[in-house]
Amino acid sequence: MKTLRTKILLYFATVTTIMILLLVVLVRNQIKNTNIPLTIDLSQQIITAKSGEVGAWINQRIAELKVFSENETLISMDMDKTKPYMRKMDESHGEEFESFAIITPEGHAWVTNDTYIDVTNRSYFEKIKTEDLDYVISDPIISRSNEEPIVVIIHTIRDNAGKPVGYINGAIYISKLSAIASEVKMYNGLAWICDRNGQVFTMEEGYINKSFNIFESETYGYIGAKHIGGKTVEGIEGIDRIQDFMGNNIIVLYAPIPYAEGWSLGINFLEREMTQDTDRLLQMILVFGFFIITSLILISLFLSSSIVKPIKELQGLMKDVEEGNLDIVYSHPGEDEIGQLGKSFNKMVRQIKNLIRTVYIEQKDKREAELRALQAQIQPHFLYNTLDTIHWMAIEHQAYDIVDMVDALTNLFRISISRGEEIISYLEEIKHIESYLFVQKVRYEDKLEYEMSWDEKLKECKVLKLIIQPLVENAIYHGIKGKKGTGKVLIEGKIIGKEVELKVADDGIGMEKEKLLQIIDVLEGRSKGEGVGYGMFNVNERIKLMFGNKYGIRIKSEYGKGTEVILRHPLIMDNIKLIE
C-alpha cells in the first residue's frame, strides 16, 4: 500500500520529469525547426560572401593583366624589349603569379623562366582567339617548373585600333585560391574549390595534388555528391545533404565564384558537428533538470512530513476511538485543511458521545416502558381470573348475555397478556379487535356500526400486538361518539409489497385543520406528545422503536366528514425474520 508521503514524492518526481522532458523536446524541436535552418542559411551567406572574395581576387588578377596588356612595350611585341619588362613583372608580382608568358598570335609563347612553349592546341588559347574575348581562365594544369597545379589567366593584347597583336597570360597557384577558401572555418568542415570539370581542390593536407573529381565521388562512398557537381558546374548555389561511406550525414554548402565560369567555392561538414552545441545545451538542461528533481524531492520530503505527521496523529486518535476511547481531543494548531479536519474530528467525537448518551437514555426509557407494561399486565391477569369466575356463575344462573359479554372481555384480557410476547399472529389481533368491537357494540347499540376487511394472507403473518385497538378506540371516542346518529368504523388490512398497510377510518365528526397539524407534528417528531391521544402516540412510538422511522402512522381528517388513520408495518412471517 502506497503511503501519502510516497504518493507526494511520486507526484513531484513524475510531474517535474515530464516537464523537463517536455522542455527538452520543445527546445530540440525549436532548434531543429528554426535555429538549425537559420544557422545553415547564415552559413550559406558566409560561403556566398567568401566565393565573392575569391572572385574579387581573381578579378584583381585579371585587372592587373589588363593593365599590363595596355603597356606600349607589350603592344609593340618587340621581344627584345618585352622580355626584360616581363622579368620585372615576374619579380614584382611573384606573390600573386607563379609566372608570366607572352604569346604571339600564332601560339608561340615565351615564359619568364626562359622557356618556350607552344599553346596552339590548348583550349584556353583556342577559345580566346576564336571568340575574340578579352580574357579566359583555363582549366587547372600542372606546372612544368614545380609540378604544382596552376590556373592560367590569358588576356588579349590589343593595339590602338583594338586589333589583337598578342596575348599575355599569368599563371596562378590553385593553392592561392584554396588558401582563401580555407579561411572559412565552420564546424571543423573542409573548404574546397571545384572547377568547371568537377575537379576539387583544397588546402587540406594531401588534397592539393590529389586528383578528386566530384562526379566520381560516389565511387568513394559519397552518396548524392554527383548531383551537387551538376549544380556547381551550372553556377548554382545551394545546400544539400549527402552521406559518406560510414553512413554519416554531411551538409554541403556551395556558391559560384564570380569571374570564373563553372567554378564554385564550397564547404562540407558532419551534421552532428553543427548540432554539438545544441546537444550540449540539451545535456545542460537534463543535468539542471536532475538537480531540480533532486531539490524538489527534498522539498517534497519536508512538505510531506509536515502534512503526514499531523495526519498520522489524527489516524492514531481514530484508532483509539475505534477501541472505545471517546475522551480524546485532537490539538493540531493552525487553520489549514488538517486543522479544520481535526476540528471536525473533535466535533464528531462529541456527537458520538452525545449519541451514545441519547441511545442510552432511549434504551433506559424503553426498559422503563416495558416494566410499566409488565406491571399493567398484572391487573388484566387478575381481572381475567375474576371474569372467568363470573363466567361460570352466569352460566349457573342462565344469564347467557352476560356470558357473551364476559367471554368478549376475557378474550381482550387474554390477548393483551399474550404470555408477555410483543409479536402475535394477525389472527389473534383480529380476534382482539372483534372482541373489543363486540363490547363497544353492546355499549353503543345502534349508534355504532363497523366493518372489517382482511387480506386472507395476513392470517399467516404476525404483527406487533395491540396496535389496532387504540386506533379503533380513538375512532369511536373522538369520531363516532360526538356524531349525531349512527356512525361507522371501517377496518382494513392488506399486503403491499413487503409491507402491511392497516387502515382505520370513521365517518365521525373529524377534526379541524389546526388540530390535525398539531397531531401530525407530534407523530413526525417535530413536537412533544401533548394534545395527542396516548394510545395513538404509544402505537406510533412502539412501531418506530421496533422497526425504524420509515414505519408508523399517517393521519388524514376533514372536519365534519371523518378521519382516516393509516398504519405501515413490515411484513413479519415469524418472531425473528422480517420480510424486507
Side-chain angles (χ1 to χ4, degrees):
M1 181 179 65
K2 292 182 179 179
T3 62
L4 183 60
R5 174 177 291 184
T6 303
K7 290 180 179 179
I8 294 175
L9 289 175
L10 287 175
Y11 173 79
F12 271 94
T14 303
V15 171
T16 307
T17 302
I18 291 174
M19 291 180 65
I20 290 174
L21 292 177
L22 183 61
L23 176 62
V24 170
V25 171
L26 291 175
V27 171
R28 185 177 181 275
N29 289 338
Q30 175 68 19
I31 292 173
K32 181 179 179 181
N33 298 327
T34 303
N35 294 27
I36 290 180
L38 180 61
T39 302
I40 293 177
D41 288 342
L42 291 174
S43 301
Q44 177 63 41
Q45 293 177 24
I46 293 173
I47 295 299
T48 301
K50 186 56 72 172
S51 67
E53 185 179 336
V54 174
W57 190 88
I58 293 174
N59 188 48
Q60 187 174 356
R61 304 289 82 77
I62 295 171
E64 289 172 348
L65 290 174
K66 184 177 186 301
V67 171
F68 296 155
S69 70
E70 294 173 349
N71 186 275
E72 292 295 333
T73 302
L74 294 184
I75 293 174
S76 69
M77 292 298 290
D78 185 348
M79 299 303 292
D80 292 334
K81 296 178 181 179
T82 300
K83 288 181 180 179
Y85 180 77
M86 295 285 286
R87 289 191 180 99
K88 290 180 180 180
M89 286 170 48
D90 188 42
E91 291 174 1
S92 61
H93 294 82
E95 194 67 30
E96 293 84 11
F97 293 92
E98 184 260 349
S99 63
F100 292 97
I102 190 75
I103 306 171
T104 67
E106 293 78 20
H108 303 296
W110 175 83
V111 185
T112 52
N113 58 8
D114 281 331
T115 60
Y116 291 89
I117 59 175
D118 186 0
V119 297
T120 306
N121 297 323
R122 294 192 178 182
S123 59
Y124 62 86
F125 179 75
E126 292 178 352
K127 184 171 183 178
I128 196 171
K129 186 175 181 180
T130 303
E131 300 180 14
D132 193 21
L133 301 174
D134 286 335
Y135 72 91
V136 170
I137 298 176
S138 73
D139 293 330
I141 58 177
I142 301 300
S143 173
R144 293 182 179 180
S145 62
N146 55 18
E147 300 298 323
E148 288 288 329
I150 60 174
V151 172
V152 173
I153 302 176
I154 183 170
H155 199 286
T156 304
I157 303 173
R158 301 180 186 274
D159 61 15
N160 293 331
K163 180 182 178 181
V165 295
Y167 303 92
I168 181 173
N169 71 13
I172 57 176
Y173 288 113
I174 289 181
S175 60
K176 290 285 186 179
L177 302 179
S178 299
I180 298 174
S182 66
E183 293 175 1
V184 181
K185 303 297 182 183
M186 194 179 295
Y187 307 115
N188 297 320
L190 176 65
W192 44 266
I193 290 177
C194 179
D195 68 12
R196 65 177 61 89
N197 297 314
Q199 201 70 22
V200 176
F201 304 93
T202 176
M203 282 296 291
E204 188 76 12
E205 184 179 356
Y207 277 83
I208 293 295
N209 296 323
K210 184 177 179 180
S211 176
F212 182 83
N213 195 290
I214 195 169
F215 293 107
E216 300 173 356
S217 57
E218 291 191 359
T219 60
Y220 299 98
Y222 293 94
I223 301 172
K226 185 176 180 180
H227 173 69
I228 296 174
K231 291 183 178 180
T232 59
V233 171
E234 293 177 7
I236 300 173
E237 72 173 35
I239 303 169
D240 282 288
R241 282 178 171 80
I242 64 173
Q243 280 189 340
D244 64 10
F245 60 93
M246 298 180 64
N248 297 314
N249 290 325
I250 298 176
I251 294 178
V252 183
L253 310 176
Y254 49 91
I257 298 175
Y259 308 105
E261 183 182 355
W263 287 59
S264 293
L265 170 67
I267 188 171
N268 56 272
F269 49 84
L270 292 173
E271 187 172 9
R272 65 169 178 266
E273 290 286 340
M274 186 177 64
T275 59
Q276 274 187 351
D277 292 339
T278 302
D279 295 337
R280 281 194 290 269
L281 175 61
L282 295 178
Q283 290 172 1
M284 288 178 61
I285 292 175
L286 290 173
V287 171
F288 184 65
F290 172 77
F291 284 111
I292 290 177
I293 293 173
T294 303
S295 301
L296 286 176
I297 288 176
L298 294 176
I299 293 172
S300 63
L301 282 172
F302 173 77
L303 179 62
S304 60
S305 296
S306 64
I307 296 174
V308 172
K309 185 177 179 180
I311 291 178
K312 283 188 173 181
E313 181 183 350
L314 185 58
Q315 184 182 23
L317 294 176
M318 288 182 176
K319 288 184 178 179
D320 291 341
V321 172
E322 288 179 0
E323 295 173 359
N325 182 11
L326 299 178
D327 297 322
I328 56 175
V329 177
Y330 181 71
S331 57
H332 176 71
E335 294 296 327
D336 56 11
E337 288 80 358
I338 298 177
Q340 296 296 325
L341 182 62
K343 291 180 180 178
S344 299
F345 171 78
N346 292 336
K347 182 177 179 181
M348 180 190 70
V349 172
R350 289 194 300 269
Q351 289 177 341
I352 291 174
K353 290 174 69 174
N354 293 334
L355 181 61
I356 291 175
R357 189 180 298 109
T358 302
V359 171
Y360 171 77
I361 293 172
E362 287 180 354
Q363 291 296 322
K364 182 180 178 181
D365 292 343
K366 183 178 178 181
R367 295 293 177 267
E368 290 177 353
E370 290 175 350
L371 180 59
R372 288 195 301 268
L374 180 60
Q375 291 172 345
Q377 288 176 4
I378 295 175
Q379 292 178 351
H381 194 275
F382 171 75
L383 291 173
Y384 171 72
N385 292 333
T386 304
L387 288 172
D388 189 57
T389 301
I390 296 172
H391 169 81
W392 290 109
M393 290 176 66
I395 291 176
E396 288 180 3
H397 290 84
Q398 297 182 351
Y400 294 109
D401 54 345
I402 297 176
V403 171
D404 293 337
M405 192 70 168
V406 170
D407 284 342
L409 288 173
T410 301
N411 284 331
L412 283 174
F413 292 129
R414 178 175 57 80
I415 294 172
S416 66
I417 295 173
S418 300
R419 300 177 299 279
E421 296 178 356
E422 282 291 310
I423 305 295
I424 62 175
S425 69
Y426 265 104
L427 192 58
E428 290 180 289
E429 185 73 4
I430 291 170
K431 288 181 179 180
H432 181 265
I433 295 301
E434 289 174 343
S435 298
Y436 176 76
L437 287 171
F438 177 82
V439 173
Q440 295 298 334
K441 180 66 174 172
V442 171
R443 178 181 178 184
Y444 290 100
E445 296 181 345
D446 294 336
K447 186 173 182 60
L448 173 65
E449 291 182 359
Y450 63 87
E451 180 182 342
M452 298 178 64
S453 175
W454 303 97
D455 190 329
E456 288 298 320
K457 292 182 180 180
L458 279 176
K459 296 180 180 180
E460 302 173 4
C461 304
K462 298 201 173 186
V463 69
L464 188 64
K465 74 175 182 180
L466 300 180
I467 60 173
I468 304 176
Q469 183 269 332
L471 306 182
V472 175
E473 183 176 344
N474 279 348
I476 295 173
Y477 282 98
H478 299 290
I480 304 300
K481 186 177 180 181
K483 179 182 179 180
K484 294 181 180 181
T486 303
K488 185 176 181 180
V489 177
L490 175 64
I491 304 167
E492 291 182 354
K494 57 184 177 181
I495 298 174
I496 300 177
K498 296 180 180 180
E499 297 179 357
V500 175
E501 183 178 281
L502 302 174
K503 182 168 68 174
V504 177
D506 66 79
D507 58 358
I509 62 174
M511 63 183 75
E512 295 180 351
K513 187 175 182 180
E514 183 179 353
K515 180 67 174 179
L516 176 63
L517 294 176
Q518 182 183 1
I519 293 174
I520 291 174
D521 285 343
V522 172
L523 293 177
E524 293 182 359
R526 291 191 289 269
S527 62
K528 295 185 179 180
E530 291 84 357
V532 179
Y534 177 76
M536 183 184 295
F537 178 78
N538 185 49
V539 169
N540 191 57
E541 288 298 307
R542 285 174 63 207
I543 292 174
K544 289 184 180 296
L545 283 173
M546 181 67 73
F547 304 113
N549 289 329
K550 65 180 291 187
Y551 301 102
I553 291 174
R554 288 186 294 110
I555 183 170
K556 296 187 292 183
S557 182
E558 186 175 351
Y559 186 75
K561 292 186 178 181
T563 303
E564 182 180 272
V565 179
I566 299 173
L567 184 150
R568 290 177 63 244
H569 189 292
L571 190 61
I572 306 173
M573 301 306 295
D574 53 54
N575 288 343
I576 299 175
K577 184 177 179 181
L578 305 182
I579 302 299
E580 297 181 353

